[in-house]
């Protein structure tokens, strides 16, 4: 990603899924968001996220927004 496009935000979806023993496929089914869209988020390629998606993911993972999205000092 070019430097001008970095946001300084890191998505911890991979880590939270692992901690909860959940797959991306299972999360996709629980929240009603496509596997492709969740994969984009998980891999740090998302440029935006709907609040409704963010709320659904946090609810399914039993976490707060700040657990999922964190500031990346290197970003």
């Amino acid at each position: 990603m070019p430097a001008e496009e970095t946001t300084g935000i890191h998505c911890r979806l991979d880590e939270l899924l692992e901690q909860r023993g959940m797959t991306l496929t299972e999360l996709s089914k629980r929240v009603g968001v496509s596997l492709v869209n969740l994969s984009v988020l998980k891999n740090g390629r998302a440029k935006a996220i709907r609040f409704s998606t963010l709320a659904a993911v946090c609810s399914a993972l039993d976490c707060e927004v700040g657990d999922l999205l964190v500031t990346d000092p290197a970003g």
Side-chain angles (χ1 to χ4, degrees), residues 51-73:
F51 284 151
S52 58
T53 300
L54 189 56
V57 168
C58 287
S59 177
L61 293 174
D62 190 28
C63 70
E64 298 292 325
V65 173
D67 299 324
L68 180 64
L69 301 175
V70 297
T71 304
D72 183 2

Side-chain angles (χ1 to χ4, degrees), residues 15-70:
E15 299 155 61
L16 293 172
L17 286 170
E18 185 176 328
Q19 288 173 4
R20 285 148 179 82
M22 188 185 300
T23 65
L24 198 61
T25 301
E26 183 179 347
L27 180 63
S28 173
K29 290 176 184 175
R30 286 187 185 195
V31 300
V33 174
S34 76
L35 191 56
V36 170
N37 284 342
L38 288 178
S39 181
V40 167
L41 181 62
K42 180 181 84 124
N43 293 318
R45 296 188 317 263
K47 296 187 185 294
I49 183 170
R50 293 177 187 263
F51 284 151
S52 58
T53 300
L54 189 56
V57 168
C58 287
S59 177
L61 293 174
D62 190 28
C63 70
E64 298 292 325
V65 173
D67 299 324
L68 180 64
L69 301 175
V70 297

